[in-house]
Amino acid sequence: MTTLYRSGTFRRTNNRSRLVITTIMGMVLGYFIGISSPYVSLTKISIPSNLISNLAFGDDHRRPSIERFFPEHLITPQIYVPTNPRGAESLPPRIVVPESNFYLRRLWGDPSKDLLKKPKYLVTFTVGLNQKDNIDAAVQKFSEDFQILLFHYDGRTSEWEEFEWSKHAVHISVRKQTKWWYAKRFLHPDVVAAYDYIFIWDEDLGVENFNAEKYIRLVKRHGLEISQPGLEPNSGLTWQMTKRRDDREVHKNTDEKPGWCSNPRWPPCAAFVEIMAPVFSREAWRCVWHMIQNDLVHGWGLDFALRRCVEPAHEKIGVVDSQWVVHQFVPSLGSQGETGNGKAPWEGVRERCTNEWAMFQDRLANADESYFVQHGKSRI
């Protein structure tokens, strides 16, 4: 028993020694081959098509075969391009795509043939299902040149599929948020750069007297970078500036209550549109987006500051009178609030709206002051 045990141990030890010696010889041989050739070209080594098919699609052998070759230079090139967008300095400029869009793409076919037509304008509505018929009427006013984007604050999206246009729209659903919250997060200037104009509209607008194509023509004709359609005078108004006029296509100034305008070229007498139904040029929106605060979601006060994004503001901000809408005053934001401190949901929402206006004004004033102090300049 002892002899057999020792004999087996010897054989196992001998086998291990051979394995170690073989491994060392292989490593030495590989080293000398490596130093004798700077690199080994693998351009003619192809991945078997059935392997790629299995990796990409499982065992479905009905997939078409795909041939791929290893790159000739396996070492990542050392590239640094400081003029590239931040974070992309290590990429060759021709591969960098700094902008995006909401164009819908197919899952098949040649990518260059995906789009039969590229929409030139973007229209966004912040919606709840209760207003679907109103939104349907509004969307009918926009041609195929307009990409439709719906922000759903009630989380209900599938019910919109009864409308044919909805199948080609973009739907983004996050519950109980405002349109400026959505705009800040989903309408980055580099995402909407493909569109000449961006409509950021409420859901409670009557559009019987509105035509989108004519609106765009008027905006271009009068050089408006920031605009809105006129509002029906009989539906209730907050500002005289947004009131529709019968005697012109566009107006850019108005008369307000005594003491409301310290300068006739400043809001709310000029350089002013409301946040209800604004339309921005691509260039103006790039500035406005940066001014939207992450935590101030109602946008109150933003309309008084829009003039900072175009120059001269009293000429490039205006109201389109001949294409007008009706504000229906649907209290959708109030219904999303919550009861607290003995207040109805709408009261809490309204209070925050007012507070945000004051907070935005304070932040803007403080930012101005900090800039002037830092640069040793006067505010005037």
Side-chain angles (χ1 to χ4, degrees), residues 228-233 237 242-244 274 276 319 324-325 327:
Q228 75 161 79
L231 296 181
E232 165 57 48
L237 291 169
T242 59
K243 179 180 178 180
R244 178 179 69 92
E274 290 187 81
M276 177 197 313
V319 175
W324 48 281
V325 298
H327 186 202

Side-chain angles (χ1 to χ4, degrees), residues 8-24:
T9 301
F10 175 77
R11 285 196 296 270
R12 285 193 294 271
T13 302
N14 192 34
N15 289 339
R16 291 195 189 96
S17 299
R18 290 178 181 177
L19 179 61
V20 171
I21 293 172
T22 301
T23 301
I24 293 174

